[in-house]
Amino acid sequence: MNDADVSKQIQQMVRFIRQEAEEKANEISVSAEEEFNIEKLQLVEAEKKKIKQEYERKEKQVQIRRKIEYSMQLNASRLKVLQAQDDLVNAMKEDASKQLLKVSHDHHHYKHLLKDLIVQGLLRLKEPSVLLRCRREDTHLVESVLDSAKHEYAQKEKVHEPEIIIDHVHLPPAPSHHNEHGPSCSGGVVLASRDGKIVFENTLDARLDVVFRKKLPEIRRSLFGQVAV
């Protein structure tokens, strides 16, 4: 084989190697591009997922804040309604308290009422000797009904007439403009055992409080119905 044939054969081998190298390089390039595209797609999807999760997290936060704000506004509205209801109920009780003042103005009716209140107190205490406290202005009316109250109690209980001692300490006077914020009493009596361990408050104000507490659910239903706020 001469030099020309050797040179030709070498050139063919070089072309073959070059072609094979180019094909391999092209294959590597294509493969690298595919891997790049896949990795890029994965990164894009990962970022999309991250953005979506962040959006969902913020959306939940917004929903939670809305629910909290709604709940706060709803509670505030409920409190306003309840306060308005309480104000109305308290206004009714205050008006009823003012009406109590008229009871003692009718001495004939009030005298009989005092006797009934004393009898009721005696029936509650069931003591042979009791202390009685009343307003200073009611002392003469109380004294005038003591005997009939003791007699009525004795007949009902089939016992001897009890001893009733009028206390020298009096209940507060009726409320007035001169003593708006001080202690006051619209009338009635307070009875206690001699040792002071048992006390039965049977004033008009105390009876109003008892009746009002018992009737409060009925009053609320009458005024506001059963509608939940």
Side-chain angles (χ1 to χ4, degrees), residues 103-155:
V103 174
S104 61
H105 293 168
D106 184 347
H107 285 189
H108 177 72
H109 174 75
Y110 185 50
K111 178 179 176 179
H112 289 287
L113 177 59
L114 282 172
K115 187 204 73 170
D116 292 340
L117 292 174
I118 294 170
V119 172
Q120 187 179 47
L122 294 172
L123 291 169
R124 183 65 64 90
L125 295 179
K126 297 185 186 301
E127 292 283 323
S129 179
V130 299
L131 292 173
L132 183 149
R133 186 173 293 181
C134 63
R135 300 186 305 180
R136 185 183 298 276
E137 60 264 38
D138 294 340
T139 303
H140 67 288
L141 288 177
V142 169
E143 290 174 341
S144 68
V145 299
L146 276 187
D147 288 339
S148 60
K150 290 190 290 186
H151 182 69
E152 184 176 331
Y153 166 74
Q155 282 191 324

Side-chain angles (χ1 to χ4, degrees), residues 4-224:
D5 292 334
V6 172
S7 178
K8 186 177 181 181
Q9 190 172 7
I10 290 172
Q11 289 178 358
Q12 287 177 348
M13 290 176 65
V14 169
R15 283 197 299 271
F16 175 77
I17 291 170
R18 182 178 294 169
Q19 183 179 355
E20 191 176 54
E22 289 176 352
E23 289 177 355
K24 191 65 176 176
N26 187 51
E27 183 181 339
I28 292 171
S29 177
V30 170
S31 177
E33 188 174 356
E34 288 179 353
E35 289 180 3
F36 169 76
N37 289 332
I38 291 172
E39 187 174 351
K40 182 175 72 173
L41 183 61
Q42 290 175 342
L43 288 172
V44 170
E45 289 300 322
E47 287 301 316
K48 284 183 178 178
K49 185 177 181 181
K50 190 184 295 184
I51 292 171
K52 184 179 180 182
Q53 290 175 341
E54 181 66 15
Y55 172 78
E56 290 175 349
R57 185 183 67 82
K58 289 184 177 180
E59 187 178 25
K60 285 181 180 179
Q61 287 180 339
V62 170
Q63 290 176 352
I64 291 172
R65 282 199 297 269
R66 285 177 179 172
K67 287 180 180 179
I68 291 173
E69 289 174 2
Y70 173 76
S71 179
M72 291 174 64
Q73 290 175 0
L74 183 61
N75 287 337
S77 298
R78 284 175 174 169
L79 288 175
K80 286 181 180 179
V81 172
L82 291 174
Q83 185 62 54
Q85 291 178 353
D86 286 343
D87 290 345
L88 179 58
V89 170
N90 290 333
M92 288 182 60
K93 186 179 180 183
E94 187 176 344
D95 185 62
S97 296
K98 291 177 181 178
Q99 296 300 318
L100 283 182
L101 297 175
K102 299 178 181 179
V103 174
S104 61
H105 293 168
D106 184 347
H107 285 189
H108 177 72
H109 174 75
Y110 185 50
K111 178 179 176 179
H112 289 287
L113 177 59
L114 282 172
K115 187 204 73 170
D116 292 340
L117 292 174
I118 294 170
V119 172
Q120 187 179 47
L122 294 172
L123 291 169
R124 183 65 64 90
L125 295 179
K126 297 185 186 301
E127 292 283 323
S129 179
V130 299
L131 292 173
L132 183 149
R133 186 173 293 181
C134 63
R135 300 186 305 180
R136 185 183 298 276
E137 60 264 38
D138 294 340
T139 303
H140 67 288
L141 288 177
V142 169
E143 290 174 341
S144 68
V145 299
L146 276 187
D147 288 339
S148 60
K150 290 190 290 186
H151 182 69
E152 184 176 331
Y153 166 74
Q155 282 191 324
K156 287 184 176 182
E157 287 295 300
K158 303 294 189 292
V159 295
H160 292 295
E161 291 186 5
E163 178 187 22
I164 301 179
I165 302 171
I166 299 178
D167 198 344
H168 65 279
V169 177
H170 297 94
L171 296 177
S176 65
H177 297 296
H178 303 291
N179 190 29
E180 292 183 0
H181 303 294
S184 63
C185 177
S186 300
V189 295
V190 174
L191 285 86
S193 58
R194 290 293 297 274
D195 57 11
K197 291 182 178 179
I198 308 173
V199 178
F200 180 57
E201 189 173 353
N202 214 15
T203 63
L204 300 184
D205 308 276
R207 293 185 65 85
L208 175 62
D209 287 339
V210 171
V211 171
F212 210 80
R213 282 198 301 271
K214 287 182 178 179
K215 292 291 184 180
L216 188 56
E218 184 179 332
I219 292 171
R220 287 188 175 277
R221 281 196 299 271
S222 177
L223 289 175
F224 315 118

